[in-house]
Amino acid sequence: MEDLTDQYNLINKLKERAKELNCLYEIQELLNDSDKPADEILTGIVKAIPPGWQYPDICKAKLTYNNQFFKTGNFDETDQVLSSDIKLNNEKVGKIEIFYTEERPECDEGPFLKEERRLINTISEQIGSFFFHKELKSVFDEEKQPQKEKKSEWWIILDLLKKTDPKLLIRISRKMVNYLCWKGIKEAEELYEYFEPEKLPETISYKDINSPAKAKSESDSLNITKKIIEISNKYLSEKEIFDNISKWIKEDQSGFLVNILGNMGSSFEEISSVIERFHHLENQGLELSPIRYLNLKVTLIRRLLSDSPDFVNIAKNFIDIEDFYELISSTIYPVNSHGKYGGKSSGLFLSKNILQKSYFSD
């Protein structure tokens, strides 16, 4: 009897997982259609959400974006709600809310499953990423029109970041200073001090205190950005500036991968969540530099499969980060698991990828 119960629970988990994936795929298709009006896309997303939840018959969705509201018909909002903020450059611009219109038993978060929390967070991140790229594209399109003073594309990006995400602009400015110094440009070396903590008065010794030095204010860091732009424009080509800024923005967007995968104490659930997030954001333009991609791939192999040097050296040539998405999607694991796949599972997974990659490369 216990075996039958376990089988029943397993089947239910797989069914729920299939519903979640179908929901994500449908939303991804909507977001990939850049020619479709934003209102139509958001309306489609609201309709696609309820079938992905545990109780679709009583599930209703509401999406708010820039004071616009999209709902699955008319319904009375209840206190059985799951919500997630939609953010554009770390600033809240909307919210997704999932309601059950009837009472349901308590689960991980009210009547909602922990997988549904992860699902709604993924959807809100996808929407935020979609509008970020849409905003950038609209700015570029405007600049393509004939104007008396046409700005460079890289300047437009920095100007946009100054208005929407000044902290990211500061991080990019710091990278640009490092790059200019690496190129041997002396004028850039004096700019280092602008990104260091404020110096203590001469009357105070570092030995007399036991607290961090005060960081430069955000406004101080932004003021030096203009100088960095002037030096960059003086010594670098427009293409070189644009390519580097684009690369650094994409690397910054992938920081969530580094934070989780770089922490060897991360749970299997946390790793699964970031792999799933990467899979969906990759379709919206998220990219990793070759070095970062390789480092993260090796980290995943060591963390989930095997840390044997021989295994890692072979696996890194045949396994990609995207392959882990397929593997994790078909894995059922206990809550707070920190383990690895077994030796046989890891060997079969590697063998499968070797055969597939070798076949398609012939």
Side-chain angles (χ1 to χ4, degrees), residues 92-286:
K92 181 180 175 181
V93 294
K95 182 167 67 171
I96 302 174
E97 296 172 282
I98 311 296
F99 297 92
Y100 281 152
T101 55
E102 298 177 10
E103 292 286 334
R104 283 297 181 267
E106 287 288 314
C107 287
D108 301 304
E109 187 173 342
F112 300 97
L113 300 169
K114 66 180 185 300
E115 290 84 3
E116 291 171 335
R117 159 55 63 190
R118 190 171 64 188
L119 177 59
I120 192 175
N121 286 345
T122 300
I123 294 171
S124 63
E125 287 165 359
Q126 285 182 308
I127 295 172
S129 179
F130 168 79
F131 280 105
F132 174 74
H133 289 94
K134 195 176 183 68
E135 189 172 315
L136 282 180
K137 183 177 183 300
S138 66
V139 173
F140 291 147
D141 289 343
E142 288 177 9
E143 290 299 319
K144 289 178 182 178
Q145 302 299 323
Q147 296 181 358
K148 291 182 180 179
E149 294 183 5
K150 188 172 182 178
K151 300 175 182 177
S152 302
E153 287 186 341
W154 60 266
W155 192 94
I156 299 169
I157 294 176
L158 295 182
D159 190 49
L160 179 62
L161 289 178
K162 186 175 181 179
K163 299 173 184 176
T164 60
D165 196 351
K167 291 183 179 179
L168 175 56
L169 176 59
I170 292 170
R171 293 195 293 273
I172 289 175
S173 299
R174 186 183 292 112
K175 287 179 180 289
M176 182 59 80
V177 171
N178 291 336
Y179 183 78
L180 290 169
C181 291
W182 176 78
K183 296 275 289 187
I185 299 170
K186 298 296 183 182
E187 290 180 47
E189 293 180 1
E190 64 185 55
L191 300 178
Y192 266 124
E193 64 182 84
Y194 290 95
F195 296 102
E196 295 177 352
E198 288 185 355
K199 295 181 179 179
L200 294 172
E202 294 182 0
T203 55
I204 300 178
S205 170
Y206 281 97
K207 297 180 180 180
D208 296 333
I209 60 173
N210 187 24
S211 61
K214 184 179 179 182
K216 293 285 183 67
S217 68
E218 190 173 283
S219 59
D220 289 338
S221 299
L222 285 173
N223 287 335
I224 198 57
T225 299
K226 183 177 179 181
K227 182 66 175 176
I228 296 171
I229 292 174
E230 290 175 357
I231 296 175
S232 301
N233 202 30
K234 182 178 179 181
Y235 292 99
L236 306 177
S237 67
E238 287 199 5
K239 184 179 186 305
E240 190 174 7
I241 297 173
F242 179 80
D243 288 347
N244 277 302
I245 291 174
S246 299
K247 179 184 70 174
W248 294 330
I249 289 177
K250 290 173 181 176
E251 287 180 350
D252 193 87
Q253 288 179 315
S254 65
F256 66 94
L257 273 170
V258 178
N259 294 337
I260 295 298
L261 300 184
N263 178 8
M264 296 306 290
S266 297
S267 68
F268 195 98
E269 183 177 1
E270 290 173 324
I271 295 173
S272 172
S273 179
V274 297
I275 293 300
E276 187 174 280
R277 182 179 172 189
F278 171 75
H279 171 77
H280 294 291
L281 292 180
E282 188 181 29
N283 294 326
Q284 298 179 25
L286 178 63

Side-chain angles (χ1 to χ4, degrees), residues 295-307:
N295 287 338
L296 291 175
K297 180 168 64 170
V298 170
T299 300
L300 272 173
I301 292 170
R302 291 172 57 87
R303 172 63 181 81
L304 296 180
L305 303 179
S306 172
D307 55 8

